[in-house]
Amino acid sequence: SKALGVLMVLMGVFFLGMMPWLTQREFRFHKRPVAGLVGAPLLGALFGIGWTPCIGPTLASVLALSSDQASAGRGAILTVAYCIGLGVPFVVAAVAFRKALGAFGWVKRHYVWVMRIGGGMMIATGLLLLTGAWDGIVQEMQGWSNGFTVGI
């Protein structure tokens, strides 16, 4: 926790722009994959690799709940609910694409403040990890859900 706290504080300081010798760089491939059926598997594989850290733990939890504590029907319902929860934001973003561009434009215009607020939050979380207060907060929040049972 302490090592990760230090890392989070350093990343927060970096986000604040207080390390000018470590400028923010991004690396892009400027060659676009072939459109159509040939490029689709490559695009899907790259998308899957990018989302694995986000989706993997949640999907593993859903599948573990499905297999460990449920019948096949309940497992199917939990998995369908997970898929709907994952897919609906993409559908909404596609339908509201023009509005989403406006929101992204706002973020671009206020980029400096978005980075400062994000950096401040990272520093605060890192300090909570360093002092051990983060563990107390997590335990308190776990206490809130002790009596919770899943309705499905």
Side-chain angles (χ1 to χ4, degrees):
S1 287
K2 297 209 184 297
L4 291 176
V6 169
L7 182 63
M8 284 200 69
V9 169
L10 287 174
M11 288 177 15
V13 170
F14 177 73
F15 264 61
L16 290 174
M18 299 175 85
M19 293 181 182
W21 61 92
L22 291 174
T23 59
Q24 293 185 22
R25 292 185 172 97
E26 79 180 44
F27 300 98
R28 293 185 185 197
F29 294 103
H30 293 286
K31 184 172 175 17
R32 294 183 185 198
V34 178
L37 291 176
V38 176
L42 175 62
L43 182 62
L46 292 174
F47 188 78
I49 289 169
W51 273 67
T52 298
C54 302
I55 292 178
T58 308
L59 180 58
S61 299
V62 168
L63 294 177
L65 275 173
S66 298
S67 65
D68 185 40
Q69 301 176 359
S71 65
R74 184 172 178 206
I77 290 171
L78 288 172
T79 305
V80 167
Y82 169 79
C83 291
I84 290 170
L86 180 65
V88 166
F90 285 104
V91 173
V92 169
V95 170
F97 186 70
R98 290 271 180 225
K99 294 263 187 205
L101 285 178
F104 294 137
W106 183 90
V107 171
K108 273 184 158 180
R109 286 190 307 276
H110 298 91
Y111 176 77
V112 172
W113 283 105
V114 169
M115 293 294 285
R116 286 180 182 167
I117 291 169
M121 291 171 64
M122 289 180 77
I123 290 171
T125 305
L127 291 174
L128 288 171
L129 281 168
L130 272 170
T131 61
W134 183 260
D135 294 331
I137 293 170
V138 169
Q139 286 176 352
E140 177 69 26
M141 291 172 64
Q142 286 174 340
W144 297 345
S145 63
N146 275 347
F148 179 77
T149 56
V150 180
I152 296 176

